[in-house]
Amino acid sequence: MLQPHVLSVCHVLELVLCLSAAEDFDWTKNHRGSFYYGTFPTGFSWGVGSSAYQTEGAWDKDGKGMSIWDVFTHKKGKVIYNETGDSSCEGYYKVKDDIALLKELKLNHYRFSISWPRIMPTGIKSDHVNEKGIKYYDDLINLLLENKITPIVTLYHWDLPQVLQERYGGWQNLSMINYFNDYANLCFERFGNRVKYWITFNNPWSIAVEGYETGEHAPGMKLRGSGPYKAAHYIIKAHAKVWHTYDNQWRSKQKGMVGISLNGDWGEPVDITSQKDIEAAERYIQFYLGWFATPIFNGDYPQVMKDYIGRKSAQQGLGTSRLPTFSSQEKSYIKGTCDFLGIGHFTTRYITQKNFPASHGPSYFTDRDLAELVDPRWPDPGSEWLYSVPWGFRRLLNFVKIQYGNPMIYVTENGVSEKMTCTELCDDWRMQYFKEYINEMLKAIKDGVNVKGYTAWSLLDKFEWDEGYSERFGLYYVDFRNKNKPRYPKASVQYYKRIISSNGFPNQKEAENWHRKAIETCSSSNQLLAAEQQRTTAANILRLIHDPLTSHMEMVTEIVVPTVCTLCILLSAIFLMFLLRRHN
Ligand code: BGC
């Protein structure tokens, strides 16, 4: 028998080992390895995503109330070219067409969001429930299930009812927690017999930082260094409340799960041997993903946020930290309120330490004391912020595994945009992005990360918030100039379809073949699109001839741009055919 003191030494050692295993991500190890040929675990779920405001259109139809995005986009100067989501992809009228696209991809799940003001026009249940809005989502859910596609439903993808903004100041007000809970409860009541995967919030980081710090997003507030922390605080509490509501009232009957979808770019230390850079990179991640994940998994904000914001607040002469605090009851109420974690991930940054004196004034960005850098060799085909750095995805997933006790993960957003006037259906760079990011996810699963599903972002080109329609994330191209908003498959549809049907990457030869075949099909889709655009242009010319008040601007946007685009598409189709001939 071992002596008691020996036992206690073992016990302490075990505890130390356990604690360090639970908390330590090894920043110094970054073996990227080569492409991994292999398949995903059986039952892995493949999907695509969308969100209500970005795709539905019908902003004022069938009793829908206004959201903060309806109001924000109707103000001049908030969105590129003052574009709005008024009609967007007309998804509200195209449920059948869009489900046909999902079927074509042979997907397992579809992630979409419910527009709160569509089903509760003022956001307040006792005011009015809009049955026409409920019917729209009922039909969508039923049709998905008839086609054996699992709905993954987001309750809040940024479109807060405007009344709640006007009356209470939106997420700056505690009362949002109860209003959101009432809304979620109604969704569980009306849809929960069929929906088994619920996501409370999509990317709360954006809601807080872009909505209340920079004001680039609705509601456009610039409450630097305090607004975002307050918004996040109420969002975290609202999430926890909704999770408890489901747990207490619905779980035993409906047997579903409630999670949250958090976004996080990866932050890699510029110098992997510098302790300061490692700490800065960790701060970057803690202020991003950790801000929300740490309370939800561990009960409180990351220590580093408490330290940095607390110190800067004191230096700025404030009596209390700009970061709110949770009471001990709140901590235990919030901890563990996540049946699965949604991860949205697009890109990576290099991070180095950089001090910002407190005299710069309060700001989320300077609170972190770091600088973000990018490698100029990283491909950046689309959005300014989106560099393709696939290995960052595996690093992030491993970080989540280690920090939060290997939770069940669904990747809820991953994809890439293009920024071109003349859209190319042969989206080589997107196929490359998906291939490499999905492969890094496969490596992460081999590392032991518990990823159960993947959602490509997004099904369609759509309204990209303050970027309007200038950035296209879709697997399907949408012709926004045509009133019918027709959808055309890009090459990545074929490519993603092959990954899905093979449940991964069986071998090099096949994966290369997929790429070649996808390029072949897209050149004929290009021709189809060009022909359709010619017809639209001709119809527009006829319409304009009959309308003497037509402005010069309309001529430019409705005739010149489409004509140039059509020519571009035709030329690229001819060029591709030429290349393919030479190749064969
Ligand atoms: C948002 C999406 C958006 C994407 C690209 C994500 O964080 O949730 O709605 O389309 O970023 O901008």
Side-chain angles (χ1 to χ4, degrees), residues 54 157-158 202-203 206 263 346 385 413 457 462 464-465 473:
Q54 293 183 279
H157 203 123
W158 307 355
N202 173 73
N203 189 357
S206 265
N263 278 47
F346 293 91
W385 52 272
E413 286 180 350
W457 192 258
K462 58 194 177 329
E464 278 306 326
W465 311 111
F473 276 84

Side-chain angles (χ1 to χ4, degrees), residues 224-281:
R224 292 189 198 277
S226 60
Y229 298 129
K230 207 170 180 187
H233 202 65
Y234 295 146
I235 288 171
I236 293 165
K237 286 192 190 188
H239 159 81
K241 180 151 190 160
V242 165
W243 185 90
H244 281 287
T245 297
Y246 191 79
D247 204 45
N248 294 330
Q249 296 181 34
W250 303 102
R251 190 189 294 282
S252 59
K253 257 180 280 168
Q254 300 185 344
K255 306 204 166 19
M257 295 202 284
V258 177
I260 187 166
S261 175
L262 302 180
N263 278 47
D265 295 349
W266 178 246
E268 184 71 9
V270 166
D271 175 359
I272 215 154
T273 62
S274 146
Q275 191 54 28
K276 282 200 158 169
D277 280 1
I278 291 180
E279 282 166 16

Side-chain angles (χ1 to χ4, degrees), residues 40-47 108-109 150 152 197 257 339-343 393 397 406-412 441-442 444-446 448-455 496 503:
F40 283 81
T42 320
F44 189 82
S45 190
W46 296 100
N108 307 107
H109 70 259
T150 304
I152 298 189
Y197 294 85
M257 295 202 284
D339 303 322
F340 67 92
L341 176 64
I343 288 285
F393 194 19
L397 291 169
N406 205 8
M408 180 196 292
I409 295 176
Y410 277 81
V411 173
T412 39
M441 176 175 67
L442 179 56
I445 291 176
K446 301 282 164 209
V449 184
N450 188 14
V451 187
K452 294 286 188 200
Y454 173 86
T455 315
Y496 187 38
N503 199 29

Side-chain angles (χ1 to χ4, degrees), residues 2-271:
L2 286 171
Q3 294 303 310
H5 73 274
V6 179
L7 252 185
S8 66
V9 169
C10 283
H11 192 73
V12 169
L13 260 177
E14 204 179 304
L15 211 75
V16 169
L17 283 175
C18 256
L19 281 178
S20 57
E23 282 170 8
D24 284 354
F25 175 80
D26 190 349
W27 290 90
T28 59
K29 242 202 270 158
N30 188 0
H31 302 309
R32 294 178 192 166
S34 49
F35 195 85
Y36 182 86
Y37 288 96
T39 52
F40 283 81
T42 320
F44 189 82
S45 190
W46 296 100
V48 294
S50 74
S51 87
Y53 186 74
Q54 293 183 279
T55 56
E56 282 177 5
W59 72 290
D60 58 352
K61 296 291 183 306
D62 290 346
K64 175 181 166 293
M66 266 198 280
S67 80
I68 53 173
W69 272 95
D70 292 315
V71 173
F72 187 72
T73 55
H74 285 151
K75 287 185 189 148
K76 294 271 169 276
K78 300 293 182 192
V79 175
I80 287 190
Y81 307 131
N82 293 317
E83 283 163 333
T84 72
D86 289 1
S87 59
S88 189
C89 309
E90 300 279 20
Y92 187 70
Y93 302 105
K94 285 181 165 279
V95 172
K96 282 200 180 128
D97 305 57
D98 288 342
I99 289 188
L101 306 182
L102 303 177
K103 275 182 73 179
E104 162 68 21
L105 277 157
K106 298 210 166 51
L107 292 167
N108 307 107
H109 70 259
Y110 177 49
R111 177 183 177 220
F112 66 92
S113 78
I114 295 180
S115 155
W116 183 353
R118 194 178 289 291
I119 66 168
M120 276 185 192
T122 62
I124 302 170
K125 191 178 173 204
S126 55
D127 282 350
H128 178 54
V129 172
N130 180 26
E131 289 301 329
K132 284 193 177 159
I134 300 260
K135 182 174 179 322
Y136 165 71
Y137 294 109
D138 259 337
D139 291 348
L140 170 59
I141 293 165
N142 290 342
L143 218 56
L144 285 170
L145 293 174
E146 274 166 35
N147 286 290
K148 302 197 169 38
I149 300 167
T150 304
I152 298 189
V153 180
T154 309
L155 292 167
Y156 189 90
H157 203 123
W158 307 355
D159 42 0
L160 185 78
Q162 174 66 12
V163 170
L164 295 181
Q165 186 66 43
E166 277 168 18
R167 243 184 245 171
Y168 305 103
W171 291 106
Q172 293 301 293
N173 193 297
L174 190 70
S175 64
M176 287 312 100
I177 301 172
N178 282 340
Y179 289 126
F180 182 66
N181 187 56
D182 288 348
Y183 156 64
N185 203 18
L186 179 79
C187 292
F188 298 150
E189 181 191 329
R190 303 296 287 269
F191 310 123
N193 57 343
R194 289 153 293 152
V195 173
K196 304 299 163 193
Y197 294 85
W198 294 101
I199 291 170
T200 53
F201 289 91
N202 173 73
N203 189 357
W205 181 91
S206 265
I207 306 170
V209 174
E210 292 171 301
Y212 294 90
E213 166 95 16
T214 66
E216 291 160 301
H217 281 187
M221 301 183 92
K222 293 182 183 160
L223 307 168
R224 292 189 198 277
S226 60
Y229 298 129
K230 207 170 180 187
H233 202 65
Y234 295 146
I235 288 171
I236 293 165
K237 286 192 190 188
H239 159 81
K241 180 151 190 160
V242 165
W243 185 90
H244 281 287
T245 297
Y246 191 79
D247 204 45
N248 294 330
Q249 296 181 34
W250 303 102
R251 190 189 294 282
S252 59
K253 257 180 280 168
Q254 300 185 344
K255 306 204 166 19
M257 295 202 284
V258 177
I260 187 166
S261 175
L262 302 180
N263 278 47
D265 295 349
W266 178 246
E268 184 71 9
V270 166
D271 175 359

Side-chain angles (χ1 to χ4, degrees), residues 511-547:
E512 276 165 12
N513 215 12
W514 299 342
H515 184 266
R516 196 174 51 79
K517 290 221 168 100
I519 293 288
E520 268 169 27
T521 359
C522 73
S523 56
S524 51
S525 309
N526 258 347
Q527 284 168 338
L528 208 81
L529 173 61
E532 187 56 44
Q533 287 196 327
Q534 263 175 340
R535 269 197 292 277
T536 314
T537 310
N540 282 341
I541 292 174
L542 279 175
R543 189 169 58 76
L544 294 176
I545 287 170
H546 289 114
D547 178 2

